[in-house]
């Protein structure tokens, strides 16, 4: 390290560069080295092995005393006393005891991983193990479902009856901007708890978008470019993981549907009718989709749909493309409650560009 810059640095690249860029470290290289090693050695993660007596060759946990023993490479045993878990203590105890009693560990053993983080005045100890999926999961849609639309700054949800009717809707807001990965995870987990509690109280499964098909939402037309850039598939996967993890613990089933054109459907049909946001309207259509309902265009717009050769769900896309105007102008052009009404293509508040577009689209 004193003669050349290594091509591989096991640690943070920024920390490594601090020896050249931070004034205090440039003047005292030894202090940088101590700081660098302290940060690098701050955390240790030892993966479990299912053929180990305690599920791990380095760590051994004693459920009766709550002591965790770590055996170093030199054979020295370090003991962490009173290691208890506010959540999952019973699962840890059961897994450890079951592993000890298991006779054929290679076939039926369970690995138990351990992580230790040094925070100076205290340690954070984590136990990582496989948890069997909850057997008693409510998959029944006989009472309806809770439709969920995931967004970059909130979860929108709607309570949908078994007949597909709107009952209630709401949102759980959060901020992920300028948050670290760990902070984002904690924020999403907290909101996922609140969301799943709604499903538990109403005794209904959750219907949400299939995250593998949500990449298209990064180009969502509703919102500014900065917000849209934040809508990465990684963020949506973290949202889905938080919701599914909490739902599994609470015995709530999570059903997934293709979210294609649910925002458009909600905007055209339900946003004004129920006085809800476009994302709440999308969660309503997601819920209805989970119940097997197909959405028909409002009668006032139905004769403007080019039905061939588009499938019914893509007809919404074609209709929305024709009505490409500012959101605040959208419902000024027609009334969904007047099926025989016409679209007002000459509204005085339309911009020149919007007016030209509408006349050409509906010519």
């Amino acid at each position: 390290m004193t003669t050349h810059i290594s091509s591989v640095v096991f640690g943070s690249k920024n920390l490594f560069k601090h020896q050249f860029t931070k004034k205090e470290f440039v003047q005292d290289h030894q202090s940088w080295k101590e700081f660098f090693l302290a940060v690098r050695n701050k955390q240790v993660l030892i993966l479990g092995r299912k053929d180990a007596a305690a599920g791990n060759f380095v760590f051994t946990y004693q459920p009766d005393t709550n002591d965790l023993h770590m055996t170093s490479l030199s054979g020295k045993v370090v003991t962490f006393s009173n290691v208890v878990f506010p959540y999952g203590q019973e699962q840890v105890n059961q897994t450890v005891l079951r592993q000890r009693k298991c006779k054929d560990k290679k076939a039926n053993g369970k690995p138990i991983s351990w992580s230790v983080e040094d925070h100076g005045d205290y340690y954070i100890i984590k136990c990582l193990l496989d948890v069997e999926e909850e057997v008693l999961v409510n998959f029944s849609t006989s009472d309806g479902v809770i439709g969920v639309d995931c967004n970059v700054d909130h979860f929108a949800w709607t309570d949908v009856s078994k007949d597909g009717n709107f009952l209630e809707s709401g949102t759980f807001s959060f901020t992920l901007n300028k948050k670290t990965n760990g902070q984002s995870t904690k924020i999403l987990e907290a909101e996922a708890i609140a969301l799943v509690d709604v499903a538990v109280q109403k005794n209904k499964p959750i219907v949400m978008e299939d995250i593998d098909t949500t990449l298209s939402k990064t180009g969502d037309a509703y919102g500014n470019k900065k917000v849209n850039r934040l809508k990465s598939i990684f963020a949506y996967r973290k949202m889905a993981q938080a919701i599914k993890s909490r739902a599994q613990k609470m015995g709530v089933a999570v059903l997934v549907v293709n979210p294609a054109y649910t925002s458009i459907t909600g905007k055209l049909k339900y946003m004004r009718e129920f006085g809800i946001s476009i994302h709440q309207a999308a969660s309503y259509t997601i819920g209805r989709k989970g119940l097997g309902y197909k959405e028909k265009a409002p009668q006032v717009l139905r004769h403007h749909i080019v039905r061939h050769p588009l499938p019914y769900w893509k007809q919404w896309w074609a209709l929305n493309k024709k009505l490409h105007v500012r959101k605040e102008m959208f419902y000024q052009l027609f009334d969904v409650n007047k099926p025989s009404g016409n679209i007002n293509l000459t509204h005085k508040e339309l911009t020149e560009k919007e007016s030209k577009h509408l006349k050409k689209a509906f010519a």
Side-chain angles (χ1 to χ4, degrees):
M1 292 175 66
T2 58
T3 58
H4 69 282
I5 302 227
S6 304
S7 58
V8 176
V9 178
F10 292 95
S12 168
K13 186 183 293 185
N14 286 332
L15 284 176
F16 184 79
K17 288 181 178 179
H18 282 175
Q19 63 181 310
F20 309 114
T21 58
K22 291 275 186 175
K23 184 177 180 180
E24 61 269 29
F25 293 143
V26 172
Q27 295 175 349
D28 186 357
H29 188 266
Q30 183 60 31
S31 64
W32 166 82
K33 189 173 182 180
E34 292 174 358
F35 175 72
F36 182 77
L37 292 175
V39 173
R40 277 203 56 202
N41 298 329
K42 181 179 178 180
Q43 179 179 358
V44 59
L45 170 63
I46 304 298
L47 298 178
R49 285 282 299 270
K50 68 178 183 179
D51 54 339
N56 195 296
F57 285 120
V58 176
F59 288 94
T60 302
Y61 186 68
Q62 303 293 344
D64 52 341
T65 62
N66 295 329
D67 290 339
L68 178 66
H69 305 292
M70 182 182 75
T71 305
S72 66
L73 292 175
S74 62
K76 181 181 178 181
V77 177
V78 179
T79 299
F80 298 92
S81 302
N82 194 29
V83 177
V84 294
F85 301 94
Y87 174 80
Q89 181 69 55
E90 185 178 349
Q91 292 174 318
V92 172
N93 292 346
Q94 289 178 352
T95 304
V96 171
L97 294 174
R98 195 181 300 121
Q99 178 68 6
R100 288 181 182 175
K101 296 176 182 179
C102 180
K103 295 182 178 180
D104 188 358
K105 290 182 172 56
K106 288 189 176 181
N108 303 312
K110 297 291 184 182
I112 303 175
S113 301
W114 292 90
S115 168
V116 179
E117 298 176 9
D118 183 359
H119 290 266
D121 297 333
Y122 61 93
Y123 292 96
I124 293 180
I125 298 175
K126 301 176 182 179
C127 180
L128 296 84
L129 45 83
D130 293 330
V131 178
E132 295 182 1
E133 187 174 353
E134 176 65 58
V135 177
L136 300 176
V137 177
N138 178 22
F139 285 92
S140 174
T141 60
S142 59
D143 293 326
V145 298
I146 302 296
V148 175
D149 181 56
C150 296
N151 298 279
V152 70
D153 57 358
H154 71 279
F155 295 135
W157 63 271
T158 300
D159 185 5
V160 186
S161 73
K162 64 179 181 180
D163 301 318
N165 294 322
F166 178 92
L167 298 177
E168 185 183 2
S169 187
T171 61
F172 292 105
S173 301
F174 48 82
T175 300
L176 300 182
N177 190 26
K178 296 182 179 180
K179 301 297 183 183
T180 65
N181 187 38
Q183 289 172 332
S184 297
T185 299
K186 292 297 182 183
I187 291 170
L188 292 175
E189 285 176 350
E191 299 306 324
I193 289 174
L195 176 65
V196 174
D197 282 348
V198 172
V200 172
Q201 293 167 9
K202 298 181 181 297
N203 194 32
K204 296 180 179 182
I206 289 173
V207 180
M208 61 183 297
E209 52 209 318
D210 184 353
I211 295 301
D212 289 336
T213 64
T214 310
L215 183 58
S216 61
K217 292 188 74 171
T218 57
D220 192 349
Y222 310 111
N224 59 46
K225 293 182 179 179
K226 183 178 180 181
V227 171
N228 287 336
R229 281 196 298 270
L230 291 172
K231 294 185 176 182
S232 67
I233 196 66
F234 175 72
Y236 278 99
R237 282 179 176 154
K238 287 180 74 69
M239 294 178 195
Q241 183 181 3
I243 294 172
K244 290 178 180 179
S245 177
R246 181 62 181 178
Q248 179 180 322
K249 292 174 185 175
M250 300 304 295
V252 176
V254 177
L255 314 175
V256 296
V257 297
N258 188 329
Y261 308 109
T262 50
S263 293
I264 294 173
T265 305
K267 183 179 79 168
L268 290 173
K269 291 190 69 175
Y270 305 120
M271 189 168 70
R272 185 177 187 179
E273 180 180 354
F274 300 117
I276 54 180
S277 72
I278 190 168
H279 300 296
Q280 288 173 277
S283 69
Y284 179 42
T285 56
I286 287 173
R288 283 175 54 85
K289 209 168 190 179
L291 291 169
Y293 290 99
K294 293 184 178 181
E295 302 291 349
K296 293 181 179 180
Q299 195 168 340
V300 66
L301 301 175
R302 206 169 294 171
H303 63 281
H304 294 291
I305 296 177
V306 179
R307 298 186 180 279
H308 55 80
L310 299 177
Y312 88 92
W313 48 269
K314 205 166 184 178
Q315 293 171 4
W316 289 102
W317 169 82
L319 188 56
N320 184 68
K321 193 174 181 180
K322 284 188 173 185
L323 292 168
H324 186 64
V325 296
R326 287 165 295 153
K327 191 162 59 174
E328 61 268 24
M329 282 298 306
F330 188 76
Y331 284 113
Q332 304 295 325
L333 303 180
F334 63 91
D335 188 343
V336 291
N337 297 318
K338 294 183 179 180
S340 59
N342 296 317
I343 297 177
N344 185 358
L345 303 179
T346 58
H347 195 284
K348 63 180 181 179
E349 294 185 18
L350 285 170
T351 65
E352 184 179 351
K353 184 178 179 181
E354 289 173 335
S355 183
K356 286 182 179 180
H357 168 77
L358 289 173
K359 289 177 180 178
K360 182 178 180 181
F362 291 95

